[in-house]
Amino acid sequence: MGVNKEEISKTIIELEKSFNERWSVGDNRGYLDAFADEVSYFDPILKNIVVGRDKVIAWIDSIYSNPHIVRNEYLNPQVHVSDSGDFAVLAYNLNTYVLDENGKEKQLRAWNATHGYRLIDNQWRIAHSNWAFSETVTEEIAS
């Protein structure tokens, strides 16, 4: 029986949305509980990579506060699934919105997100997580 890459892609996108929706309302455990033991993590405010579930969770717990995000836009999702069906890479753009002091919606952040998912004991786990601001420089540069 072949690997159903379309079904795996759909599952990965839905998992990611569920984790992010929880994060947006003050529950960071969706992402944290999904990390594999050997997860590696890049964050735009860190100089170095963080490796290992306990270290990544400690880092995120140290900086996390309820962002009160009222809406997310998931743009350009791309999922690449391995031929064996046990590894997938998800990349997408994420725009997050909060309410301003007048109760009007305003954009909080624009992100580029990339996550590597591994199927471990029949559960998709995040083996690598990379969050980057979508606009970090004022000019186009190649290196």
Side-chain angles (χ1 to χ4, degrees), residues 23-37:
W23 178 278
S24 296
V25 297
D27 177 8
N28 67 1
R29 299 320 296 181
Y31 276 115
L32 304 187
D33 291 345
F35 288 143
D37 289 339

Side-chain angles (χ1 to χ4, degrees), residues 93-113:
N93 307 105
L94 175 68
N95 293 332
T96 59
Y97 297 86
V98 295
L99 297 179
D100 68 14
E101 59 278 352
N102 298 316
K104 302 275 187 195
E105 195 175 272
K106 70 175 184 174
Q107 187 170 8
L108 176 64
R109 299 265 188 286
W111 296 97
N112 295 329

